[in-house]
Amino acid sequence: MIRIRNLTKIYHSSSGNVKALENVNLNIEKGDIFGIIGLSGAGKSTLLRCINMLEKPTSGSIEIDGVEMTRLTPSELKEMRKKIGMIFQHFNLLSSRTVRGNVAFPLEIAGLDKRTIDKKVENLLELVGLSDKADNYPSQLSGGQKQRVGIARALANDPKVLLCDEPTSALDPETTLSILNLLKDINRELGITIVLITHEMNVIKQICNKVAVIEKSRVVEQGPLIEVFKKT
Ligand code: ADP
Ligand code: ADP
């Protein structure tokens, strides 16, 4: 599903150059819940953001569903991004829009008609268990409920891949478990491939079938969860 070859990302800034990723190779297969774990500053966010080209790689290749991401025109990239949903540590919801309005947002951008959008939003809110909060604003929700809205929004365009940036780091342990179970259901029932970055081993152990360990901009281990952690 996702094939990354010799990916290198160097940030250029006034204080010098930072090599955030160095020769990263990853194979993520359809149906995987693929965890990427590492300390703060290891390069996890950069790697995740390169997958949907929010960051432009310095060199290397990223193939998603057979399409080379680094060579797309802006309009091709826009089409490809519909196949890639993303959720965030701090949810990134629009505070001026209701739950319904947040989930509808990507569908409005895609230009769907109102009836289709309403139906779709209703189904998505049911999927994440938030039908009764449709008219609430984000400020009226708990952290776990906000992340459920984030998940519903990320699924709006029927993506094949869901990228998760520290999805539970702002949540308490109980809420973390319920969000991870929701992600597991989405993977199993909708067949969506999940890529998740985290600094927490528990998160990896709860849901991932495969894991890559990233240290100082390099992937130092990757494979099935049991094999990678047999060695530690
Ligand atoms: P992680 O997600 O594992 O915490 P990041 O990918 O955020 O790691 O960061 C990797 C390295 O790249 C760090 O040294 C960080 O300071 C640096 N970095 C990240 N984003 C930028 C940026 N936009 N400009 C310059 N350096 C950056
Ligand atoms: P995260 O919790 O994802 O690791 P960070 O606080 O590392 O978040 O980064 C937040 C934002 O700041 C990101 O967009 C990242 O690219 C950017 N960033 C991180 N490190 C640097 C840096 N050294 N210089 C400039 N931008 C940075």
Side-chain angles (χ1 to χ4, degrees):
M1 188 57 147
I2 305 178
R3 233 172 72 109
I4 297 175
R5 287 290 172 270
N6 298 319
L7 177 65
T8 294
K9 172 69 187 181
I10 299 168
Y11 291 108
H12 303 279
S13 68
S14 49
S15 48
N17 293 344
V18 179
K19 200 173 255 186
L21 296 173
E22 192 164 1
N23 275 315
V24 168
N25 291 285
L26 283 184
N27 280 326
I28 300 171
E29 281 161 47
K30 186 167 163 45
D32 277 346
I33 302 185
F34 196 105
I36 298 167
I37 188 163
L39 299 177
S40 177
K44 303 182 296 297
S45 303
T46 302
L47 177 53
L48 202 70
R49 292 162 59 83
C50 280
I51 292 177
N52 57 7
M53 298 290 287
L54 285 173
E55 295 289 355
K56 196 175 174 320
T58 304
S59 61
S61 123
I62 299 165
E63 208 177 275
I64 301 183
D65 214 11
V67 175
E68 177 55 49
M69 297 294 286
T70 57
R71 287 196 214 117
L72 298 179
T73 64
S75 69
E76 288 168 338
L77 182 58
K78 195 174 156 216
E79 267 321 290
M80 268 310 281
R81 281 205 181 121
K82 291 185 186 164
K83 295 190 185 181
I84 310 168
M86 189 162 181
I87 63 170
F88 307 90
Q89 177 174 4
H90 298 295
F91 323 120
N92 297 9
L93 302 179
L94 298 167
S95 57
S96 63
R97 283 184 162 229
T98 61
V99 166
R100 191 195 305 282
N102 270 277
V103 179
F105 192 60
L107 298 167
E108 290 169 11
I109 290 181
L112 300 189
D113 65 275
K114 188 172 176 331
R115 257 176 65 99
T116 311
I117 292 176
D118 287 350
K119 185 71 201 150
K120 204 135 196 206
V121 170
E122 194 183 310
N123 290 341
L124 286 162
L125 289 179
E126 195 178 327
L127 177 78
V128 301
L130 274 188
S131 301
D132 59 332
K133 301 284 180 197
D135 296 314
N136 285 61
Y137 285 87
S139 62
Q140 301 170 305
L141 303 179
S142 69
Q145 289 169 337
K146 285 181 199 167
Q147 192 57 290
R148 284 171 189 271
V149 179
I151 291 169
R153 179 181 58 184
L155 297 180
N157 281 316
D158 300 316
K160 295 191 173 187
V161 176
L162 181 61
L163 305 178
C164 309
D165 184 352
E166 299 273 3
T168 58
S169 297
L171 305 176
D172 62 60
E174 203 177 315
T175 312
T176 290
L177 201 58
S178 77
I179 293 296
L180 294 178
N181 282 331
L182 176 60
L183 292 175
K184 214 190 273 185
D185 290 345
I186 285 166
N187 167 259
R188 204 165 27 204
E189 286 162 29
L190 306 180
I192 294 178
T193 304
I194 294 182
V195 184
L196 179 153
I197 64 173
T198 182
H199 61 277
E200 292 169 300
M201 186 63 80
N202 277 344
V203 169
I204 300 280
K205 289 191 169 159
Q206 286 288 345
I207 61 165
C208 296
N209 66 315
K210 293 204 195 127
V211 63
V213 181
I214 183 164
E215 267 178 34
K216 295 181 188 154
S217 77
R218 289 172 175 274
V219 169
V220 295
E221 294 270 4
Q222 70 175 299
L225 191 63
I226 17 176
E227 283 176 26
V228 169
F229 291 118
K230 211 162 48 185
K231 300 172 190 160
T232 59

